[in-house]
Amino acid sequence: MLSNQKIYEGKAKILYTTNDPEILLTYFKDDATAFNAQKKGKIIGKGKINCTISSYIFQILKANNIPTHFIDCPQSDQMRVRRVKILPIEVIVRNIAAGSLCRQTGLTEGTILKFPLVEYCYKNDDLQDPLLTRDRLLLLELATPEQLDQIRTLTLKINDLLTNLFNQCQITLVDFKIEFGLDKDENLILADEISPDSCRLWDLSQADPNQRVMDKDRFRRDLGNVENAYQQVLERILAHQGSNTP
Ligand code: TMP
Ligand code: ASP
């Protein structure tokens, strides 16, 4: 499966070409990084878990008319995707205050936001992914005004669908990061992954601020039990899948 040419290696995934120029194979690694790769480690089993979770989420989104790059999952740590040109924008949605929002605004962690906050960061490791304003984004020509409107509409719809899905898994979707790409016809398509690496997920049944964390914050903040938390998210997602398959 992985005999084709490697065209890109990122911090958590490797991209390979396939026989079809419009299709790529993504291999999900166990490698984990944080703070712009200043912290490095491995989360054993993460590649398979994130690929499986992402695949299920992409299928749910697809069924709800969100265009995604997902094609199929030939092995548990490999995803076939449509080739897209990734826009260098990290789109972040927040439902509850956490992370950099608290650091940058003084809001208390756990504050429920009055509306879902959509933010854009420049996907640029050298500049440490800075927060962008709409005007800066347009100035840098990272997207057109029309693409930006479409990104916002799709993102809010994705947030509704994911909030609902995770709620059914007894998990609060605090915030998440997504990325979009353009296919060969310039259509905007959801790409990358949606997993405990790219979301903040809190266990609804846990009130303790450390115990409730089921995502990469366990690795970022050295909270321990990282593998268990990822596995728990997978099990709840699989149970959801089981109860929703006719
Ligand atoms: P932040 O609070 O650190 O800005 O993170 C917001 C969300 O984005 C959170 O769900 C984690 C996710 N995220 C990534 O997926 N990649 C990143 O590089 C960072 C900094 C955050
Ligand atoms: N993915 C990012 C990195 O290493 C950071 C993070 O997820 O916290 O660089």
Side-chain angles (χ1 to χ4, degrees), residues 42-150:
K42 257 190 202 305
I43 301 173
I44 304 301
K46 175 171 88 80
K48 289 182 178 171
I49 292 174
N50 281 0
C51 182
T52 307
I53 293 173
S54 262
S55 297
Y56 182 55
I57 289 179
F58 281 141
Q59 287 173 75
I60 289 190
L61 296 177
K62 207 170 185 174
N64 285 278
N65 299 318
I66 305 285
T68 83
H69 71 160
F70 176 80
I71 297 173
D72 59 16
C73 189
Q75 290 191 35
S76 56
D77 54 3
Q78 294 171 27
M79 191 191 285
R80 289 198 316 142
V81 299
R82 281 158 67 192
R83 186 179 204 132
V84 293
K85 197 165 146 275
I86 296 282
L87 297 177
I89 305 169
E90 299 200 336
V91 183
I92 293 169
V93 187
R94 302 178 188 272
N95 299 304
I96 294 178
S100 67
L101 180 66
C102 296
R103 284 199 305 279
Q104 292 170 7
T105 64
L107 276 171
T108 306
E109 183 180 81
T111 306
I112 296 169
L113 305 184
K114 293 197 181 86
F115 55 87
L117 187 65
V118 180
E119 299 183 323
Y120 308 99
C121 290
Y122 190 8
K123 191 172 150 67
N124 184 321
D125 283 343
D126 293 341
L127 298 175
Q128 287 159 36
D129 301 344
L131 188 63
L132 289 167
T133 61
R134 181 184 167 89
D135 281 359
R136 282 188 184 186
L137 200 154
L138 295 175
L139 178 80
L140 295 174
E141 297 182 347
L142 304 181
T144 64
E146 296 74 27
Q147 285 168 344
L148 206 48
D149 289 346
Q150 207 188 338

Side-chain angles (χ1 to χ4, degrees), residues 131-200:
L131 188 63
L132 289 167
T133 61
R134 181 184 167 89
D135 281 359
R136 282 188 184 186
L137 200 154
L138 295 175
L139 178 80
L140 295 174
E141 297 182 347
L142 304 181
T144 64
E146 296 74 27
Q147 285 168 344
L148 206 48
D149 289 346
Q150 207 188 338
I151 286 174
R152 191 183 163 84
T153 305
L154 284 172
T155 297
L156 288 170
K157 191 168 171 198
I158 293 166
N159 184 44
D160 282 347
L161 292 164
L162 293 187
T163 298
N164 190 29
L165 164 67
F166 281 114
N167 240 310
Q168 289 172 18
C169 299
Q170 303 301 307
I171 293 172
T172 304
L173 178 62
V174 175
D175 56 32
F176 61 97
K177 182 269 300 178
I178 46 179
E179 296 180 23
F180 290 89
L182 298 175
D183 71 6
K184 66 175 185 341
D185 302 318
E186 298 280 293
N187 295 310
L188 194 69
I189 290 177
L190 179 66
D192 195 48
E193 67 177 284
I194 299 179
S195 72
D197 267 14
S198 61
C199 303
R200 280 201 176 89

Side-chain angles (χ1 to χ4, degrees), residues 197-228:
D197 267 14
S198 61
C199 303
R200 280 201 176 89
L201 304 169
W202 290 353
D203 188 341
L204 258 171
S205 67
Q206 298 280 354
D208 181 87
N210 288 341
Q211 298 247 39
R212 67 187 174 191
V213 175
M214 302 181 82
D215 57 71
K216 197 174 164 189
D217 269 352
R218 296 209 77 84
F219 169 78
R220 294 189 188 97
R221 293 160 48 194
D222 293 320
L223 296 177
N225 286 322
V226 189
E227 280 86 0
N228 284 351

